[in-house]
Amino acid sequence: MSTSPPSAPARTAPSPPTAGWTADVAAALDRLQTPIWIFDIDRSRVVAANRAALATWRAESLEELAARDLGADMSTTVRERLRQYQADFERCETRFSEVWTLYPVGIPTTLRVVFSGHRLADGRMAMLCEALEVMHDTPERLRSAEALQHTAVMISLYDEAGAPLYRNPAARNAVARQGETFADRFVEARDRTDFLRRLAIDGQAEAVVRITGPAGVRWHEVAARACHDAVAGKAATLVSEIDVTGHKMAEDQIRFLAHHDLLTGLPNRALLQIEVGRRLAAAADAGERLALLFIDLDRFKTINDSLGHLHGDRLLVEVARRLMRSVRRDDFVARLGGDEFLICLRLGRAAKRAETVARRILGELDAPITLGGRRLAVSASIGICNFPDDGRDLDTLMRHADLAMYAAKDQGRGRALPFDAALNAEVAAQFELEASLLRAFERDEFELFYQPRVSVADGRIIGAEALLRWHHPTRGLILPGAFIPHAEKTGLIDRIGTEVIHEAALRQRAWADAGHDLTVSINLSARQFRDPRLKTTIAAIVTQTGCDPRRMQIEITESMLVGADATTAETLATLTALGFSIAIDDFGTGYSNLATIQNHPIDTLKIDRSFIATLETRPALAELIIGMCHLLGLRTIAEGVETEEQLSWLRVRNCHEYQGYLFSPAIPADAFDDLLELQRERLAAGGAEGFGEGRSPLWDLIPLVKRPDDVDWDRPEACPSKVRRLGLRSGFGQGIRPKER
């Protein structure tokens, strides 16, 4: 096969034309018809040639031929093939017979050449070349032979015993040692056995296997087919090999990326499902015990927000390193995402090993971590559950470990807690409550009650706070503190909150149409208040209901103003622009200050009931709040007023309004209508006399418990007869028909 003779790295002056044999030998060789020449492999020069060889090379003289640099246009494949010959000649006495195409003065000449080693005078190994015949084959055969010589595909022919009969240059380069058999190529005995078995049965086989080569272990795609040796006529095996090491490495990298967290290098949730699932199955078969540790960093979001995501990522990498340092080599550590990690431990005979490892992890995390020039103390909450005691499948175990982790957070963070069946019962109750909430909304079990806001000066009802109640089919009347947090978790608060605002707006217009001048206040949760859609929603409700926003008030808590952002300021500005007033509910229990209040359009402060309840022993705080409101021009409303003494104290200090059981708890809208009509009758009959004397004459008609916390969860209560439920299914607010203006 192949090409013009190869080149050598050095370029030196040619050897004398007679180098390699004596003058007598040269004269004898000149008489032969067979072209014979000596090729200096290192220098890519012909150093000796008989007359027939000069004719073959189309050279006028040996001097002219020796001056040619035959390596100038030599391909890499030919150069490597010649180096293989040289190495073989150095190793032993051997001869090669191949078809080569030479290019004397650019003219292709195909010859069958026999190559053998020839030692030059200076000791270097050269090559003696004998051209036995000129090949006049078809172009297709010549080109296929040329392609076989130059291709990167490794082509080999083996006899029945697996000994090599032929290797093309690529295959010759890929063998670890001369004389290597086909079976010797395989690294794994199992791959070799399986491949040879399929080859024997089917006459062909293909596989991607690890093979041994000069550069060590490589991945090759090997294809073999049974055939016959064209020379000996005996059974043989033709083998082709392609080096796919790069592809395998790429596949391994893709597989790693698919199953590992890019930041920490730990296994991710996908690999966790596979690996921990496998470990659970093995443990079940062997009767062994495992433990899962669910780890969540405490206050990671605060660190991430204050130092930036770059430092947050560095923290996660350091935490991963410390987790790995806390366990054994055969334990499994994974990052679930964010700041959550999971560890799977083999317990063996050490029943308390999970608790020991958890304490070790907490100790590792206690050591300060320096990020952004700051030394940070990091803690974590850890939930522990055991297989098979706390669950027999991965989903159950992870859920239980997660529950235990949240219980650890609730108990103060920076600690580890094992799973307890009581936690499952608690969560089951929460799930049931959340499911009941969804059903309650669909079945119109919610109702708005209204608590009167009364003028301290003359005892008139001048406002109403809308308060949500849930008429549970078996638990009776449920107050918002028991279900609003769960409504916020599920997102149902968005639907409920919108309906509450809509209902209260309709109620305000209905009372206004009936001639009652009242301010109706509505409580907003933190989630509602942070919703950027709130402004648009309320503006639409004002348009739809025709309410008077100047007689509507939004109540928010102090905590909503702490760290207020642009959305908070914009929401407050929009609401006040529509005409709504803004009240701070439960003032004195949060973290706001005078500067916070003055920076926002706050109209009213509602003094928390805890300050009113302690007026006899600690009146200073309530007095300070009322005095501050007078200085700032704010209205004050006292909450939780229950005694005449408390009301008298407020009247002396010029508090504007009060709410509380002294006058009335929250009552259904129909009962509130009766109360307003009674007030109108008394005003018409005797002016304002009689008002301010304490609780309402309708006190005994109010279908409520005496205190907000006095709900009997075990005793079903019948709903009051005058109940108009709220809900989308029956049409929210359909019970109110405001008069046309």
Side-chain angles (χ1 to χ4, degrees), residues 27 34 85 110 149 175 203 287 291-292 376 476 692 732 739:
T34 301
Y85 291 157
T110 303
Q149 180 78 2
V175 296
L292 292 189
L376 302 177
F732 192 96
K739 298 175 182 178

Side-chain angles (χ1 to χ4, degrees), residues 20 28 63 70 79 118 162 300 322 372 423 435 478 585 649 655 741:
E63 289 80 6
L70 301 182
R79 184 177 293 110
H118 181 84
F300 174 73
R322 296 189 183 191
L423 294 176
I478 301 179
D585 194 15
W649 189 94
C655 180
R741 292 181 176 174

Side-chain angles (χ1 to χ4, degrees), residues 215-230:
V217 176
R218 306 284 292 178
W219 284 97
H220 280 195
E221 181 180 316
V222 181
R225 183 182 297 272
C227 64
H228 283 80
D229 176 16

Side-chain angles (χ1 to χ4, degrees), residues 196-241:
L196 294 177
R197 179 184 58 80
R198 286 188 287 122
L199 180 61
I201 295 173
D202 301 330
Q204 61 183 17
E206 293 184 10
V208 176
V209 296
R210 295 200 303 160
I211 62 93
T212 55
V217 176
R218 306 284 292 178
W219 284 97
H220 280 195
E221 181 180 316
V222 181
R225 183 182 297 272
C227 64
H228 283 80
D229 176 16
V231 176
K234 296 181 179 180
T237 303
L238 181 65
V239 177
S240 67
E241 300 178 46

